[in-house]
Amino acid sequence: MLSLSVTTGYAIKALMCLEGGDCLSRHISDVARCTGVPRAYLAKIISALSQQGLVETKRGYRGGVSLARSAEEISLLEIVEAVEGDQWLGDCLLRMDTCDVLTTCPTHHFWVRIRREITEELRKLTLASVIASKKEGGLQPQNLLQREERTACGCPPPSLHENSNAELKL
């Protein structure tokens, strides 16, 4: 069965936690709490997303993580490729070493077409569309935070924000 990796799912959840609200950025520990992803693992994911220009990170007292662009401008394909690399679908469905234009496997032409279709669909889907579909279903990542730990925009209250580590460690 073809599916995206757990790491890609975590990346999408993290980006969903960063979208919207009045907050300019969030500490990585707050995003980890929002998503339920272990902080160290999330830091690696955020680093990969940052390298591809999907998030911005800032160290220091007023530091944190924020989306580099609006959710409408970030495609799922960009997220997948940031986490998995550009060859995430693989060249051969059967994982044969000699499957190419000259020596094709039985599924070569099928896989070329399906790979193109999957890539195009993921290019069309945006982070905003994923967020909208989750909101319709009532499953927002921000709901994972306890109500008393959040402000209206989903960020922790200033007292928690100010008492967190002085640097964002990626």
Side-chain angles (χ1 to χ4, degrees):
M1 179 159 121
L2 177 68
S3 63
L4 298 175
S5 73
V6 170
T7 305
T8 299
Y10 287 164
I12 292 168
K13 284 182 175 183
L15 293 172
M16 289 173 68
C17 285
L18 296 174
E19 196 279 327
D22 300 328
C23 301
L24 298 176
S25 66
R26 300 200 176 152
H27 285 273
I28 197 162
S29 56
D30 298 327
V31 177
R33 188 177 27 215
C34 174
T35 60
V37 178
R39 188 185 183 286
Y41 190 33
L42 182 62
K44 292 178 183 180
I45 295 169
I46 295 293
S47 179
L49 295 171
S50 177
Q51 289 174 5
Q52 295 302 312
L54 298 177
V55 297
E56 295 175 343
T57 59
K58 183 179 175 189
R59 294 182 181 270
Y61 174 69
R62 300 230 181 242
V65 182
S66 61
L67 291 180
R69 295 176 273 153
S70 72
E72 292 83 13
E73 297 172 352
I74 297 175
S75 74
L76 289 190
L77 181 62
E78 290 177 290
I79 300 168
V80 172
E81 288 182 346
V83 175
E84 304 294 331
D86 60 354
Q87 292 296 316
W88 64 279
L89 277 174
D91 290 330
C92 180
L93 182 62
L94 301 177
R95 298 178 192 240
M96 295 183 140
D97 295 332
T98 59
C99 182
D100 57 29
V101 177
L102 299 176
T103 55
T104 62
C105 77
T107 64
H108 180 77
H109 298 292
F110 162 79
W111 186 237
V112 168
R113 180 178 54 84
I114 295 300
R115 209 174 51 213
R116 187 177 340 113
E117 289 175 12
I118 291 170
T119 301
E120 283 308 309
E121 286 302 314
L122 289 175
R123 188 183 324 274
K124 291 177 198 174
L125 286 172
T126 65
L127 179 60
S129 65
V130 172
I131 292 168
S133 71
K134 286 291 186 184
K135 284 181 181 177
E136 289 172 8
L139 300 172
Q140 300 174 39
Q142 292 83 354
N143 289 345
L144 297 175
L145 290 175
Q146 292 180 358
R147 199 149 201 66
E148 63 272 10
E149 294 180 8
R150 299 185 288 124
T151 62
C153 72
C155 290
S159 61
L160 289 176
H161 211 57
E162 291 167 8
N163 291 334
S164 358
N165 293 337
E167 285 192 355
L168 172 69
K169 297 175 185 163
L170 294 177

